[in-house]
Every structure is written in C-alpha cells, then in structure tokens.
Amino acid sequence: SVLFVLQFLGQVVFGQLSTTINYSISDGLPSNEAYDVFQDHHGFLWFGTDNGVVKYDGYEMVRYGVEDGLTDPVVFGFHEDAKERIWFRTFSGKLSYYEKGKIKAYKFNDILSGEIKQSIISSLYVDSLDQVWFSTFRHFGLHGKIDSSGNISTTIPKGTIYHIDVGQGSLIGYRQDIMENIEVNNQIFEIEPFGYCDVFNAISIRWKGKLYVSACRNMYEYDGTSLK
C-alpha cells in the first residue's frame, strides 16, 4: 500500500503529533505504485501513479487516465500555474493539464518531446505569459522553455545537478555524463564525486532563506554565496 504522512498545522507547535493516513487500492487508488502527492490551491489532493492520476476531496477519489485525455498513464509529478491549471509530468515527456473538469494535451508536445528525446522532465513552471519552463534528467539534462507560439530554446547545464530560479518557481535537474559539481543560478560549485547511486534523484527546496539540494544520499546548503 501507499503511505503518506499528512500534517495539518494551523501554526508551528513544538511536539505536535502527525496524522498518518494509509491509502491503497481498496480506497480508490488505481495502483499502489505512487510517485507524487500534491495539494492544489483549493485543497484537493492529487496522486500521481503508474496508472493515471487521482483527484481526492477527502471523501471520494476520482481517477483520470489516457481515456480522459491524459497523455501518459505514468505521472511523476504536478505543477499548478497562476490560472489554477494542474499540469502533469509524465514518463513519455508529453504534458497535459487539468482545467475546469477536463484534461487537455499540451499543444506543443511534439516540439517538446522532439527536443528532449529520451530525457524525462524533472520539474516544470508555467509563467503568466503561458511560457512553459522545464528541466530534465538523464543524458545531458537540458533545460529550457517554450513560448506561447511554440518557439523552443534549450540549454545544456554546466553542473551535474542544477537549480534555476524562474519567476515564482524553480527548476531542478541533472545530467548523467559528469558527476562532479552543482550549478545554482549559473554559479558552479565543485563537490566530491557522488560515486555509485542505485537510484539517483535531485530535489531542491527553500527553507528559512536558504536553498537545500539533495542528491544521491547527500544534502547541500546554499546561503546565496557559498555551498556546503
């Protein structure tokens, strides 16, 4: 079964206990293979699985699959834009989004998939001009954007792992051909080689004015000047 820890915090209270809820197929999930859980602006929970996505209102789970417009049944993650559209990152790299009760395919998917090839989109940000910013992992880990007319521009990062601030969001990705540094907004920091990782993933988060990046069982702290 799939285990999620949900903390309902009105304020930060020392010693407050977490509420643990265990969701599984018997509760309405289409699969026990879940990759991400996301809470949208309205409070709904979204589950990304290898058999579609689920929207949960606390009482009922509603599944959406390829028959409903999803571009791929395997969904790795989500992004909510300023228009409250929920975007889905998939295994195939082709994007789709949920808007007003319907799932629609991104109109420039062919351009996107043709550019990233066998890479997988690791993060996504859609700005107020409907420009889709994306990062990838595998191969050269390129990142870039597609504007509202379908024009695409990409960059191959200098770092093994890279974090880029974009508008109110950020992008995180990595490349597989080098294993020696971290790039934060075009600044390069040398690190010890990662060595072998059976599962390699990169995650970044801002907390108390600092940026934290984790990869391959290591965590790095960036204070705006230095990385440690």
Side-chain angles (χ1 to χ4, degrees):
S1 60
V2 183
L3 182 66
F4 298 99
V5 178
L6 307 178
Q7 291 185 315
F8 302 96
L9 300 178
Q11 57 182 349
V12 177
V13 180
F14 180 76
Q16 184 172 3
L17 298 177
S18 301
T19 298
T20 303
I21 306 173
N22 194 8
Y23 296 114
S24 67
I25 290 178
S26 61
D27 299 297
L29 284 177
S31 170
N32 284 334
E33 189 76 22
Y35 301 109
D36 195 16
V37 58
F38 172 77
Q39 186 171 33
D40 68 21
H41 177 77
H42 298 286
F44 295 110
L45 289 180
W46 293 83
F47 300 90
T49 79
D50 64 349
N51 190 25
V53 297
V54 170
K55 182 182 180 183
Y56 182 48
D57 63 1
Y59 301 96
E60 180 184 11
M61 291 191 177
V62 179
R63 174 188 174 271
Y64 297 94
V66 292
E67 65 276 12
D68 303 299
L70 201 63
T71 52
D72 190 308
V74 182
V75 175
F76 290 140
F78 306 90
H79 168 71
E80 183 176 14
D81 65 20
K83 298 179 181 178
E84 299 182 4
R85 295 174 295 186
I86 310 298
W87 291 75
F88 310 116
R89 293 189 290 107
T90 69
F91 178 75
S92 68
K94 293 187 175 181
L95 304 174
S96 53
Y97 57 89
Y98 176 89
E99 183 179 33
K100 298 179 180 179
K102 295 182 179 180
I103 294 181
K104 305 175 183 178
Y106 178 48
K107 60 184 177 180
F108 298 126
N109 270 329
D110 290 341
I111 296 173
L112 177 61
S113 59
E115 186 73 18
I116 68 173
K117 297 180 172 58
Q118 300 302 313
S119 294
I120 294 176
I121 294 177
S122 54
S123 59
L124 190 70
Y125 177 75
V126 183
D127 65 22
S128 60
L129 300 177
D130 263 1
Q131 297 182 118
V132 174
W133 299 76
F134 60 90
S135 62
T136 69
F137 65 88
R138 289 185 178 176
H139 306 300
F140 294 112
L142 57 79
H143 57 85
K145 70 174 181 178
I146 305 178
D147 66 21
S148 58
S149 298
N151 301 305
I152 189 169
S153 59
T154 59
T155 301
I156 295 177
K158 299 177 182 177
T160 303
I161 303 168
Y162 62 89
H163 170 98
I164 303 171
D165 290 316
V166 181
Q168 300 299 311
S170 63
L171 302 175
I172 181 78
Y174 65 87
R175 53 190 296 184
Q176 291 181 317
D177 58 322
I178 56 174
M179 302 290 283
E180 58 190 18
N181 52 45
I182 292 180
E183 178 182 355
V184 180
N185 293 328
N186 297 318
Q187 297 184 72
I188 301 295
F189 300 95
E190 301 297 325
I191 58 174
E192 292 292 328
F194 293 109
Y196 173 75
C197 290
D198 50 353
V199 177
F200 193 99
N201 195 15
I203 300 172
S204 63
I205 187 171
R206 288 197 178 276
W207 184 59
K208 293 187 176 180
K210 296 181 180 180
L211 174 70
Y212 294 87
V213 178
S214 70
C216 198
R217 305 184 186 90
N218 295 317
M219 181 174 288
Y220 305 90
E221 179 188 85
Y222 176 68
D223 61 7
T225 303
S226 60
L227 184 87
K228 64 180 180 180

